[in-house]
Amino acid sequence: MICQWGLFVGLISFGVMTSCLKPAQTDSDLSMVSDLLGKFPTATPLSKSLFYRSMKTRLGKPHAIGIGPMLQPIESEVGRPEIIQMIMGTDLRETFKTKFKIQTAPDLISALDQLTASSQGQMNAACSKGQPSCKDLKGETAKLSQQWIGGKPGDPGSILDTRFYLWDNWFVVYKNTIFRFTLQSPKIFPKDHPQAGSPVGYDDRHELASIGLYTSKDGNRWEYQGAVIEPESGPGKESRFDSKVIWSGNATVIKDQLVVPYTGRSKVAGRDPWLQKIGVALFNPATQTFSRLSPNPVLDPGAKDSCGLNIAEKLGYDLSSSPKVIMAWRDPYLLVQDQKVHMFFAAKKKLARPSEDNSAVGHAVASIHDLSKWTLLPPLNLPRSYSQMELPIVIKQGNSYVLLSSVVEFTDKGRVQTLRAYRNTGFDGPWKPFSSRGDLALQLNKVYGINVAKDLKEQLSAVSFDMKSLGLTSLKPLQIGPDSITIQGLESWEQ
């Protein structure tokens, strides 16, 4: 298998030098897939399943978008289908049709999906038992995936992945490995979408988002681990709070457990299609997968008290969407303090005088022993509001706390992005601007979405994403001084 994989990777490398054509038609696509899979006639079902799963990793979700869009990235790298046939040495289309009863591209997709489902348990079992096959299979996947991951010149450790749109991202160090999570979107609309097969536009990515994962042992070389938190799908799940799309969250380690709070939106949202709720996912080291703590949200803006009154509204939250700013109940961040877990999240608050600049940072608390039960608290008492305050982060600094938030203002001159900072000795009471000059920490022109955590050296580092390329910056040292906040090397992305 290793040699066969080496040949395939070599094929991809060879293809970079060949010409690029328009997407092939279905018959050619079927031939291409048949040839690629046919290269492994003696491979086990598990190995073939891994190969298909690797293609899904490289190209998005072929089972959801059809053969043509799936193979467009391969064709653009490799060139004409006949080049593949020449290198592979045979056309196995008839073999697939007769032996596997595959007549059309959808038949092939269905067969491969069944193969993947039947062998997924075998692979999980091999990994959970520490069998050598687990390591080999993971290694093969990593080699193939690595062909798609690059970085920005001059910024080692950054990520440019040609398969996806990438934006909001965050990281945590867990068992000497950096887990870097990111919102990701395919670049082709899935087949159940009205625009199936068409390219996904930059602004459309938000409606197709899931959470992907990259891991690294050094912060320089990254391996893609796939989409780890995706919308719930399947019969009877349409009304789940996260059945439509997954939005930003964060990650922390609690009692040696990797915990990922995240934002979900439902296909059945009621009056407001922008309704957001917050869930929690837990990492299983044995299977290297994430599972939901509960099918229900842990923090629901629609929750009511015993009298039938909305709890969030009683506490001063504004749950409405306006023409300029959608409702906000997202971007959860967890901080552990004194056997309690505090959740901070992007929200909106009621103002004495109605205004669309009413962003806020929400607050909830739970016991460290039970992350399924949260008590909602009033929004933090900040000195002012903006159009949007997103991705809030609270850092303990000595005897005080520092709050950071990526802020958007919609002005007459357009969209203005900044990083705002505040300080307080506790969570209650008024927060003050961090600096004597005010709450402005950094002006963000080309990058956005600052997230902060401790790196492999136990030092604070920040990550963000480039608004134009949707590439992810490397981990950059963050320094909190007496009257200023700096992120080393961020200027290379701002130029």
Side-chain angles (χ1 to χ4, degrees):
M1 276 295 296
I2 297 298
C3 294
Q4 292 169 330
W5 276 96
L7 177 58
F8 181 73
V9 173
L11 168 63
I12 295 297
S13 301
F14 170 82
V16 173
M17 298 182 291
T18 64
S19 61
C20 300
L21 301 178
K22 296 180 180 179
Q25 300 300 313
T26 301
D27 285 346
S28 297
D29 292 339
L30 180 57
S31 176
M32 291 170 71
V33 177
S34 300
D35 289 340
L36 290 172
L37 293 177
K39 187 59 189 174
F40 310 100
T42 61
T44 64
L46 181 59
S47 297
K48 288 185 178 180
S49 173
L50 173 73
F51 175 73
Y52 177 58
R53 292 177 69 252
S54 298
M55 290 183 69
K56 290 166 69 173
T57 297
R58 291 170 57 85
L59 306 174
K61 295 181 181 177
H63 66 287
I65 62 176
I67 287 285
M70 175 185 77
L71 286 177
Q72 185 174 348
I74 283 184
E75 185 174 63
S76 65
E77 282 194 344
V78 177
R80 296 176 180 271
E82 54 261 40
I83 294 178
I84 294 180
Q85 293 183 14
M86 178 182 68
I87 295 176
M88 294 300 186
T90 181
D91 181 355
L92 299 179
R93 188 186 315 173
E94 291 304 318
T95 301
F96 267 79
K97 286 183 177 180
T98 57
K99 184 175 180 179
F100 300 108
K101 307 300 181 184
I102 293 173
Q103 302 293 331
T104 64
D107 291 339
L108 179 60
I109 292 298
S110 176
L112 289 170
D113 275 337
Q114 292 178 21
L115 180 63
T116 299
S118 65
S119 57
Q120 181 66 56
Q122 299 178 43
M123 185 156 62
N124 287 343
C127 292
S128 65
K129 296 177 182 178
Q131 296 177 352
S133 60
C134 170
K135 181 178 180 180
D136 292 340
L137 294 175
K138 284 187 175 181
E140 291 168 354
T141 304
K143 287 180 182 178
L144 195 58
S145 178
Q146 197 63 35
Q147 299 293 316
W148 290 76
I149 303 175
K152 179 181 174 68
D155 188 21
S158 59
I159 300 174
L160 295 175
D161 195 324
T162 59
R163 295 167 292 186
F164 311 112
Y165 291 119
L166 306 176
W167 61 107
D168 291 356
N169 65 109
W170 58 95
F171 75 96
V172 67
V173 174
Y174 181 65
K175 297 187 182 300
N176 299 315
T177 298
I178 303 173
F179 283 64
R180 187 165 185 180
F181 302 86
T182 179
L183 291 190
Q184 64 175 38
S185 163
K187 293 188 174 181
I188 302 292
F189 279 106
K191 71 175 184 179
D192 59 352
H193 193 278
Q195 295 175 255
S198 300
V200 174
Y202 179 89
D203 292 331
D204 297 320
R205 69 190 193 278
H206 296 288
E207 297 300 285
L208 297 169
S210 62
I211 294 178
L213 173 64
Y214 295 83
T215 58
S216 176
K217 293 292 187 180
D218 59 8
N220 290 319
R221 181 179 176 85
W222 298 93
E223 294 182 0
Y224 180 66
Q225 305 298 334
V228 292
I229 304 177
E230 300 180 276
E232 285 277 44
S233 60
K237 296 183 178 180
E238 292 83 0
S239 61
R240 295 263 179 104
F241 80 97
D242 53 359
S243 61
K244 178 178 176 61
V245 70
I246 304 295
W247 278 358
S248 288
N250 218 284
T252 191
V253 178
I254 301 176
K255 297 170 61 176
D256 203 38
Q257 170 76 68
L258 179 53
V259 179
V260 180
Y262 66 94
T263 308
R265 285 174 52 211
S266 177
K267 292 179 179 178
V268 184
R271 291 178 298 175
D272 188 353
W274 298 108
L275 179 65
Q276 303 145 38
K277 300 180 182 180
I278 293 173
V280 169
L282 305 176
F283 180 64
N284 185 338
T287 60
Q288 299 287 296
T289 59
F290 288 81
S291 59
R292 287 162 170 79
L293 177 66
S294 167
N296 301 314
V298 299
L299 204 62
D300 185 346
K304 293 179 170 52
D305 64 13
S306 58
C307 298
L309 300 177
N310 183 283
I311 297 174
E313 291 180 337
K314 284 175 55 179
L315 292 171
Y317 289 91
D318 180 354
L319 304 179
S320 67
S321 292
S322 70
K324 187 169 66 173
V325 183
I326 65 173
M327 79 91 66
W329 198 269
R330 60 181 180 270
D331 306 345
Y333 175 89
L334 302 184
L335 178 68
V336 179
Q337 290 287 292
D338 302 325
Q339 297 299 300
K340 293 182 179 180
V341 183
H342 293 265
M343 178 189 293
F344 303 95
F345 57 97
K348 296 168 72 174
K349 65 181 179 181
K350 295 179 181 179
L351 298 178
R353 298 179 63 182
S355 169
E356 288 190 303
D357 292 335
N358 65 334
S359 61
V361 174
H363 187 196
V365 65
S367 166
I368 196 173
H369 305 294
D370 189 355
L371 297 181
S372 66
K373 298 178 181 179
W374 292 81
T375 299
L376 183 64
L377 301 173
L380 298 186
N381 185 359
L382 301 178
R384 63 166 295 184
S385 292
Y386 296 90
S387 301
Q388 289 180 326
M389 296 188 71
E390 300 183 294
L391 303 170
I393 304 162
V394 177
I395 303 168
K396 182 74 179 295
Q397 286 286 105
N399 295 323
S400 63
Y401 297 91
V402 175
L403 167 65
L404 303 177
S405 179
S406 295
V407 164
V408 174
E409 296 175 79
F410 298 109
T411 70
D412 295 339
K413 297 181 179 180
R415 177 186 173 112
V416 177
Q417 302 172 170
T418 55
L419 180 68
R420 301 284 169 169
Y422 307 91
R423 65 169 87 227
N424 199 350
T425 55
F427 304 131
D428 300 326
W431 289 72
K432 299 179 180 180
F434 177 83
S435 169
S436 59
R437 298 180 299 276
D439 64 354
L440 177 62
L442 294 171
Q443 190 75 42
L444 303 176
N445 299 315
K446 296 182 179 179
V447 301
Y448 186 67
I450 303 293
N451 258 301
V452 179
K454 288 187 176 181
D455 57 24
L456 290 167
K457 297 180 180 180
E458 288 289 311
Q459 302 297 314
L460 289 177
S461 283
V463 294
S464 57
F465 72 95
D466 177 62
M467 293 286 289
K468 183 176 181 180
S469 70
L470 295 184
L472 309 183
T473 68
S474 62
L475 275 65
K476 298 186 176 299
L478 179 138
Q479 296 178 340
I480 300 178
D483 201 49
S484 64
I485 295 175
T486 58
I487 300 178
Q488 182 178 331
L490 192 65
E491 64 276 2
S492 65
W493 286 77
E494 287 286 4
Q495 295 174 354

